[in-house]
Amino acid sequence: MKRILVILIAIICFNGCDKEMIIDWAPITFKIQVQDSQGNDMLDPANNNTWLIGTEISFRNYSEVIDENDISPVTKVVLPEYSGARIEKGSDCYFIAFGEFMRWDNDTELMTIKWPDGSISEVSYKCRLIESKLEAKETFKLNGLKCSNPIVIVK
């Protein structure tokens, strides 16, 4: 009888404790599609993507030149893994992938792309975490205008 009473008290105490919820937000990768005015995929090697030579991506104090010949398949990993700027082949198009980055509440991340023709594209990302609803409100902008991820740039 004492054993049952001890177990019941333990269950009541355990259920009465405040439990801190830990949420592991998945990291985010910037994905950028580049199209011409007719909607052709300008990152597809079949469409002569050599115009990319010299394209530089800057993020925080880090800059990297994209290698237009290094095309990676889309892969999934369990842990966040920074893999720099690269061209990836998706199921229906090629895209520039940059990341992965952790989602932090109310942080704004800014990435600048310097294209070989001298033009610049600025991509920003802001995340607002709403832990009580288990959701993240994300905002992507291209040159100051809201857009979706993947970001589509027309060249």
Side-chain angles (χ1 to χ4, degrees):
M1 183 68 175
K2 284 184 182 181
R3 181 180 254 173
I4 293 174
L5 185 60
V6 170
I7 292 173
L8 285 175
I9 291 172
I11 290 172
I12 291 169
C13 290
F14 178 75
N15 285 334
C17 295
D18 287 336
K19 297 175 189 152
E20 184 176 323
M21 187 181 333
I22 298 173
I23 303 169
D24 187 15
W25 297 98
I28 189 77
T29 299
F30 291 95
K31 292 184 178 180
I32 301 166
Q33 296 175 348
V34 184
Q35 303 174 350
D36 64 13
S37 57
Q38 287 81 34
N40 296 315
D41 184 353
M42 295 188 64
L43 298 176
D44 187 340
N47 293 335
N48 191 14
N49 68 358
T50 57
W51 67 273
L52 270 175
I53 296 171
T55 299
E56 182 179 350
I57 293 183
S58 299
F59 177 79
R60 296 183 182 163
N61 293 324
Y62 176 78
S63 291
E64 181 176 358
V65 175
I66 294 176
D67 182 355
E68 74 282 357
N69 296 314
D70 184 17
I71 297 175
S72 307
V74 176
T75 59
K76 291 186 111 178
V77 294
V78 176
L79 297 174
E81 178 181 294
Y82 175 75
S83 49
R86 65 216 176 269
I87 298 177
E88 288 188 353
K89 182 177 182 348
S91 59
D92 59 348
C93 68
Y94 289 80
F95 53 89
I96 298 170
F98 190 79
E100 298 177 328
F101 302 102
M102 294 308 297
R103 292 176 172 158
W104 300 112
D105 195 21
N106 290 320
D107 265 358
T108 299
E109 301 290 0
L110 179 66
M111 180 178 60
T112 303
I113 305 171
K114 296 177 186 171
W115 302 101
D117 65 2
S119 63
I120 294 176
S121 298
E122 287 188 342
V123 176
S124 68
Y125 166 77
K126 183 173 180 137
C127 182
R128 194 176 107 227
L129 301 178
I130 306 170
E131 292 183 15
S132 62
K133 294 183 179 181
L134 296 177
E135 68 181 59
K137 297 273 186 177
E138 299 173 325
T139 305
F140 289 89
K141 291 185 179 180
L142 173 61
N143 299 325
L145 301 174
K146 281 188 179 182
C147 63
S148 61
N149 187 29
I151 298 155
V152 178
I153 296 176
V154 178
K155 294 295 292 164

